[in-house]
Amino acid sequence: MAKTEVLTLVEKGEMLPLMEEFYTIQGEGYHKGTAAYFIRVGGCDVGCHWCDVKESWNAETHPPTSIENIAENAAKYSDTIVVTGGEPLTWNMVPLTEALKERNLQTHIETSGAYPLTGVWDWICLSPKKNKLPVTPVYDKAHELKVIVYNKHDLIFAEEQAALTNSNCILYLQPEWSVRDKVVPMIVDYVMKNPKWKVSLQTHKYLNIP
Ligand code: SF4
């Protein structure tokens, strides 16, 4: 296929830069412990300094892949599909989610919300980042808010973000992995004093699975 044709299809969301896809256990947030197929889409310009998937940032390093192929493959593994990144909302998610829905799959997204929400989602995990704040409408649609805590100021940021979400949104504080020993006691103390929050841990990392 000609390069310009590929670019047009990527622009429409009919092809996506696919970084990796794997069947594993969702380790974080509300659905932790659930077997799920992960689709990691390349491309992100949010620039979190502690990002653990910096290889995802440059979309050009990940092969443009047809969403039909992605959906067909995902359907072989699980009923629950988690689309993550990178920042998946860099791209139009309508074609991919429609292809997943045609196969009766549950669609979950992990997003910073930095770009407009596209696609059909059964579960939206909003993980806002200070560098590039969410685009407003996503706060109304988020099922869970997951704030990554790297330092004490992130607790203030978490409250600011929680104030913007809908009343059914489940609130999580999650230690950033590289500083977990330092921030876990602070999060535990905070959640005990402010029980509207729950602790989310990256349990897949403790289990040593992807
Ligand atoms: S939004 Fe996610 S993928 Fe993008 S830099 Fe931040 S942690 Fe990394």
Side-chain angles (χ1 to χ4, degrees):
M1 198 183 292
K3 199 172 174 192
T4 49
E5 200 180 333
V6 170
L7 288 176
T8 307
L9 291 172
V10 170
E11 215 164 276
K12 289 183 180 166
E14 286 166 14
M15 290 183 102
L16 291 168
L18 181 64
M19 177 174 165
E20 57 179 349
E21 46 186 346
F22 49 94
Y23 184 42
T24 186
I25 304 293
Q26 166 63 284
E28 306 176 3
Y30 184 80
H31 291 284
K32 69 181 170 302
T34 304
Y37 191 74
F38 277 67
I39 297 169
R40 190 183 300 285
V41 182
C44 183
D45 66 355
V46 175
C48 307
H49 66 91
W50 42 257
C51 178
D52 60 358
V53 278
K54 287 186 173 139
E55 324 83 78
S56 71
W57 291 5
N58 183 355
E60 288 179 18
T61 59
H62 305 295
T65 308
S66 129
I67 52 104
E68 283 300 323
N69 287 356
I70 298 173
E72 197 58 45
N73 201 31
K76 290 180 199 156
Y77 291 88
S78 182
D79 293 338
T80 302
I81 312 301
V82 180
V83 180
T84 187
E87 173 44 71
L89 294 180
T90 306
W91 315 102
N92 178 8
M93 283 288 135
V94 172
L96 175 63
T97 52
E98 284 181 348
L100 295 170
K101 281 287 157 206
E102 275 165 22
R103 292 163 174 84
N104 293 321
L105 304 175
Q106 291 290 302
T107 53
H108 296 196
I109 186 171
E110 308 257 341
T111 178
S112 69
Y115 292 98
L117 185 65
T118 52
V120 185
W121 301 106
D122 295 299
W123 193 264
I124 298 172
C125 172
L126 174 63
S127 185
K129 305 297 178 333
K130 290 174 185 166
N131 296 9
K132 213 172 170 89
L133 292 171
V135 177
T136 308
V138 75
Y139 292 111
D140 291 337
K141 305 244 169 75
H143 297 90
E144 67 180 299
L145 176 75
K146 185 173 69 189
V147 178
I148 311 303
V149 179
Y150 183 82
N151 58 33
K152 208 170 174 189
H153 184 266
D154 291 326
L155 297 175
I156 298 169
F157 177 66
E159 290 294 350
E160 289 166 0
Q161 293 297 299
L164 299 170
T165 57
N166 64 80
S167 56
N168 294 321
C169 189
I170 306 167
L171 307 177
Y172 289 103
L173 296 174
Q174 180 172 296
E176 199 283 313
W177 181 254
S178 69
V179 292
R180 62 192 180 283
D181 291 346
K182 197 177 85 188
V183 297
V184 163
M186 183 174 78
I187 293 174
V188 167
D189 185 53
Y190 192 83
V191 169
M192 286 166 70
K193 288 180 181 145
N194 301 276
K196 69 178 181 184
W197 292 96
K198 296 175 190 291
V199 179
S200 171
L201 296 174
Q202 291 182 294
T203 54
H204 53 295
K205 293 192 179 177
Y206 291 97
L207 293 170
N208 215 11
I209 55 175

